[in-house]
Amino acid sequence: MAPAQSDLQPQSAPKATAAAQAAIGDGLVAEAQAFADELAAWRHDLHQMPELGNSLPQTSAYIQARLTEMEIPFATLVDGSCVVGLVGAGAAAAQGNGVCTDEQAGTVIMLRGDMDALPVAEESGEPFASTNGCMHACGHDMHATALLGAARLLKARESALVDANATVKLLFQPGEETFEGARAAIADGLLQNPRPQAAFAMHVNSQSPLGLVLYGSPALSGVYGFRITLQGKGGHGSSPEICIDPIAAGVHVHLALQELISREVPAAKEVALTVGKFAGGQAANVIPDTCVLEGTLRGFDVELMEHLKTRIAEVVKGVATTYRTPATIETLSDVPPLVLDDGMTQASLGYVGAVLPKSAFLPLFHAMASEDFALISSEIPSAYFTVGAAVTDTDEHFAQHHPKARFNDAELPLGAAAYAAVALGYIADHKE
């Protein structure tokens, strides 16, 4: 059902509690604006060193250097490419190795900013554009920078956090684009030492104006990524009868998978199956040995997704048997839908509204994209917003992942203040 017209009108955020309002205060934005030039410089530095997946040595080193300058203790996970800082009660205990016990940390909230890039050659025209063939085309450099700004704001209020027996855990995460980072960080102990009681994340939008905040749940779909390899028998293109052509089999696999959606999924369900890679052969007159298909299945209904994963395997096996091409299926990613906690979401709207009172809020965040923050939100109560970061020239509003995508540096102090406000508000509302 399409949203009612009234649902499309910008709304005010719910009011934060008096305790949260007092803790947040009214100076966060002005304080962040005072070092906006430094935030922009940090973001431009990060933008020029885009790295992929779970291997972010330069990016991680840069984040570590900024936290060291702020005297914020941190630990590294995922072979050094994930950085986790602590501000507040648990920070003193964490000076040696960046970790502390739950008892030492008290009330804990985690703020997450991802920081990996995409294999996209940049065409933005920015003076700080990357030149290494990769690009921050999704704005993760904005997230990491805003979280650094929040770290500075929170560090200035550390004595109050200590008095409240509370800790803010700062997660600078790799591997979001590949859906590897959150899982690897969790496996390395992200949700321990100390364990957060709640988490919050934001994502910039290159086509939404500054001050627009979108929210909802489930916000983003789950994703199952797969690779199908069909084994044929190669040979000369003039003699297909003595070969086994895996490309022909691959074509029929692709068509059969599409029919799963058209014939086995209710029309009212939101499901998308895409085969984005089809690779086989290197010459016009050669039948190859193998054909490889890679794709994604996305949806919001977990039970239906599990059923379709089973059906994908059955269909591939059946078609492969028919065309005499043994098949293997590998899982490339498996992330649940981004389901968020209503209480944490409503509270976070109040916290962000308290620090950014001129922002407009719309409950329309529901898309077929996917996000591995879902692995965190499935473990602890979480909120996640999309925030506007469009440049002022409306002719330059390219979508995320586009080589010409651009983001507005003016969002950085607003994002930093919003991150900090959520942490301060949550802690005020959850004092032990």
Side-chain angles (χ1 to χ4, degrees):
M1 179 182 293
Q5 187 62 35
S6 60
D7 292 336
L8 300 177
Q9 303 305 313
Q11 303 174 358
S12 299
K15 291 289 186 182
T17 66
Q21 290 270 5
I24 293 167
D26 56 8
L28 280 173
V29 172
E31 191 174 334
Q33 294 282 10
F35 59 89
D37 289 346
E38 192 168 6
L39 286 171
W42 290 346
R43 185 247 166 159
H44 297 175
D45 287 344
L46 289 169
H47 194 86
Q48 293 178 84
M49 60 175 78
E51 298 173 297
L52 306 179
N54 274 359
S55 181
L56 313 182
Q58 288 181 282
T59 306
S60 176
Y62 190 89
I63 297 297
Q64 293 177 52
R66 302 292 79 76
L67 294 179
T68 299
E69 292 169 355
M70 298 180 205
E71 299 183 343
I72 293 176
F74 60 84
T76 61
L77 308 173
V78 193
D79 296 324
S81 287
C82 180
V83 185
V84 183
L86 295 178
V87 181
Q95 290 293 343
N97 58 6
V99 298
C100 66
T101 66
D102 293 350
E103 291 74 17
Q104 291 168 322
T107 300
V108 183
I109 179 172
M110 183 166 69
L111 306 177
R112 181 272 219 161
D114 44 5
M115 54 185 188
D116 58 319
L118 288 157
V120 173
E122 184 159 1
E123 300 175 13
S124 70
E126 297 281 24
F128 52 89
S130 63
T131 59
N132 68 354
C134 300
M135 178 187 176
H136 274 293
C138 202
H140 294 186
D141 55 330
M142 299 283 290
H143 306 160
T145 301
L147 188 54
L148 281 174
R152 176 177 286 189
L153 295 172
L154 293 166
K155 182 67 177 179
R157 292 158 175 77
E158 189 161 44
S159 61
L161 296 175
V162 172
D163 290 344
N165 190 30
T167 301
V168 181
K169 197 165 189 174
L170 308 166
L171 167 60
F172 297 88
Q173 183 202 303
E176 188 282 324
E177 295 290 357
T178 57
F179 307 118
E180 300 171 315
R183 191 183 305 278
I186 291 170
D188 277 359
L190 171 66
L191 300 183
Q192 286 78 47
N193 302 316
R195 181 174 178 83
Q197 284 101 51
F200 176 76
M202 295 187 296
H203 201 300
V204 292
N205 188 311
S206 61
Q207 296 181 297
S208 296
L210 291 177
L212 179 62
V213 179
L214 302 182
Y215 65 97
S217 184
L220 297 171
S221 72
V223 59
Y224 166 62
F226 55 87
R227 176 188 294 123
I228 301 165
T229 302
L230 300 165
Q231 182 64 53
K233 179 182 177 183
H236 202 288
S238 65
S239 305
E241 73 280 3
I242 63 172
C243 304
I244 299 176
D245 188 351
I247 293 179
V251 169
H252 286 277
V253 165
H254 180 269
L255 292 173
L257 292 181
Q258 299 308 312
E259 290 178 0
L260 284 178
I261 304 304
S262 65
R263 287 295 173 266
E264 298 191 24
V265 175
K269 292 292 185 180
E270 298 169 291
V271 178
L273 193 156
T274 297
V275 175
K277 179 179 179 179
F278 192 115
Q282 298 187 20
N285 62 346
V286 178
I287 292 175
D289 274 329
T290 60
C291 179
V292 177
L293 293 78
E294 293 184 8
T296 57
L297 171 72
R298 299 174 191 267
F300 294 94
D301 185 320
V302 174
E303 185 175 339
L304 177 59
M305 288 281 284
E306 289 300 317
H307 168 72
L308 288 173
K309 283 191 280 186
T310 299
R311 289 293 291 133
I312 287 172
E314 292 172 349
V315 166
V316 169
K317 181 180 179 181
V319 174
T321 298
T322 299
Y323 287 89
R324 300 176 297 153
T325 53
T328 59
I329 303 177
E330 301 170 66
T331 297
L332 303 180
S333 56
D334 197 358
V335 174
L338 180 57
V339 178
L340 302 164
D341 182 80
D342 184 64
M344 182 63 185
T345 296
Q346 291 300 311
S348 297
L349 288 169
Y351 306 146
V352 173
V355 75
L356 302 175
K358 296 182 180 179
S359 290
F361 298 83
L362 283 171
L364 299 179
F365 187 26
H366 182 77
M368 293 300 291
S370 303
E371 160 67 87
D372 75 349
F373 186 70
L375 295 168
I376 293 171
S377 72
S378 64
E379 291 283 337
I380 54 179
S382 301
Y384 183 106
F385 299 158
T386 288
V387 296
V391 295
T392 55
D393 184 348
T394 55
D395 292 334
E396 296 294 322
H397 288 183
F398 294 94
Q400 253 102 306
H401 293 214
H402 193 283
K404 294 184 179 180
R406 297 172 60 206
F407 300 88
N408 196 333
D409 285 341
E411 192 278 333
L412 296 171
L414 305 181
Y419 268 127
V422 170
L424 295 171
Y426 178 87
I427 288 166
D429 284 340
H430 294 82
K431 286 184 178 180
E432 293 184 343

